[in-house]
Amino acid sequence: MRVGSKFDGNKVMMEYIGATGIPITFNSVPIFDNIDFHFILSFAIDADPSAIPQNGKFSPYWEPSLTPESVAAIKAQHPNVKTLASLSGWSLGDTVLRWNNPPNPNLWISNAFSTLQALVVKYHLDGIDIDYENFPKHDSNFAFCIGELITLLKNQSVILVATIAPFYSTVPPYLELFHGYGEVIDFVNYQFYTDKVKTAEAYLKTFELRAKQFGRVKLLPSYEVNGRGIQGDAFFEALSLLDENGFDVNGVMIFSADASLSNDFHFETKSQQFLLNSTTP
């Protein structure tokens, strides 16, 4: 039996945090009421500090200022906050991380389940985000391992939320995962900034393409602060264009809070204002 997706109807704000080594606290980030605010701690990695793979044994590598005590405090202060651990990311130090097909998938799943369960308890987490970004050219058992892991974590009531974070070159393995296990995946944090579109009209076309692949309901528009792709007010023009064209803008994903320290979290504030004022249900 597989537990279904959890979506209670509120708009969702996804915010990656702690990936760059910049000291940051949850309290720095503006959190609006009536928004389901998901902090995504970046990253939990199944490798040792030298980036040697550990066969599904995950350890936290996010900014040390994001302590278990601070997670508990922000959730007590804002009951609408949830916290997730993002798995893998691009690199650990100077080493690019890759999905390594485990020779024994069931052992990998068992290791991942037990170590993530421990992280969930220690850091008061509500879910996981899947952000593996490099894959072997030959057939991968990624979809099976991750899909069964999410299913197990949900069936055992370890997590409530599971998200995935594909981008243009990782669409195939994530589509395989989504098609096989979409019922246990709550949101798709597609990294639209990697498509490098600069205008609202181009963003709409790219969103239409990814909505055909991953569906309209769970797909969230995304923005990279001081980064690639659409920038500035053009992003909010794109959100309005999506709204006008009948897309359910159920939430926004931003990468990352670390970068937003330099601009007083302008995009987090304006994104939440848009979500609360948009016409989509």
Side-chain angles (χ1 to χ4, degrees):
M1 190 265 298
R2 291 175 181 164
V3 175
S5 202
K6 180 180 177 62
F7 178 62
D8 60 12
N10 287 344
K11 300 298 179 72
V12 178
M13 182 75 192
M14 299 275 181
E15 176 86 299
Y16 286 81
I17 188 169
T20 62
I22 297 174
I24 188 170
T25 64
F26 297 112
N27 285 325
S28 303
V29 183
I31 299 168
F32 284 33
D33 294 334
N34 302 319
I35 293 281
D36 284 343
F37 201 110
H38 292 54
F39 282 110
I40 305 178
L41 280 69
S42 312
F43 294 92
I45 304 172
D46 53 337
D48 71 10
S50 298
I52 297 174
Q54 296 295 292
N55 197 27
K57 297 177 181 178
F58 285 88
S59 300
Y61 288 92
W62 48 76
E63 167 57 36
S65 60
L66 304 174
T67 64
E69 294 76 17
S70 69
V71 173
I74 196 67
K75 293 175 75 172
Q77 184 180 355
H78 296 281
N80 55 319
V81 164
K82 291 182 175 65
T83 51
L84 289 70
S86 186
L87 306 191
S88 186
W90 179 263
S91 64
L92 180 55
D94 295 328
T95 302
V96 173
L97 298 170
R98 302 183 184 280
W99 171 259
N100 295 292
N101 284 330
N104 184 338
N106 288 326
L107 177 59
W108 186 95
I109 293 167
S110 177
N111 289 340
F113 176 86
S114 60
T115 54
L116 290 173
Q117 183 180 42
L119 282 179
V120 165
V121 172
K122 180 176 181 179
Y123 282 90
H124 315 285
L125 303 178
D126 301 285
I128 59 172
D129 171 69
I130 309 301
D131 190 31
Y132 283 90
E133 302 197 357
N134 295 281
F135 294 89
K137 293 182 180 179
H138 51 82
D139 290 342
S140 169
N141 53 21
F142 169 77
F144 173 78
C145 290
I146 296 297
E148 291 298 318
L149 172 63
I150 294 172
T151 300
L152 184 60
L153 287 166
K154 283 199 165 186
N155 280 344
Q156 296 298 318
S157 300
V158 176
I159 63 171
L160 296 172
V161 183
T163 65
I164 60 174
F167 62 96
Y168 70 95
S169 68
T170 65
V171 163
Y174 279 95
L175 270 181
E176 183 183 359
L177 171 62
F178 190 77
H179 288 161
Y181 296 90
E183 69 271 28
V184 294
I185 295 169
D186 298 280
F187 299 101
V188 179
N189 288 325
Y190 184 86
Q191 300 176 52
F192 282 98
Y193 38 84
T194 65
D195 289 320
K196 299 181 180 179
V197 297
K198 301 293 186 180
T199 67
E201 292 75 16
Y203 199 102
L204 172 63
K205 290 182 179 179
T206 300
F207 196 93
E208 289 172 339
L209 168 63
R210 304 310 177 189
K212 289 178 182 177
Q213 295 172 322
F214 293 98
R216 298 162 63 112
V217 174
K218 298 180 180 181
L219 182 66
L220 301 185
S222 61
Y223 182 82
E224 184 176 41
V225 178
N226 301 330
R228 298 157 290 178
I230 200 165
Q231 290 289 295
D233 286 340
F235 175 63
F236 299 104
E237 294 171 10
L239 293 183
S240 295
L241 200 56
L242 290 173
D243 205 21
E244 292 165 8
N245 281 270
F247 286 100
D248 294 333
V249 184
N250 292 322
V252 170
M253 179 270 270
I254 290 183
F255 187 90
S256 66
D258 309 36
S260 289
L261 277 170
S262 64
N263 60 28
D264 294 325
F265 299 95
H266 169 75
F267 295 98
E268 288 79 357
T269 298
K270 198 164 182 179
S271 292
Q272 290 177 88
Q273 289 171 340
F274 173 88
L275 291 172
L276 291 175
N277 294 325
S278 66
T279 59
T280 51

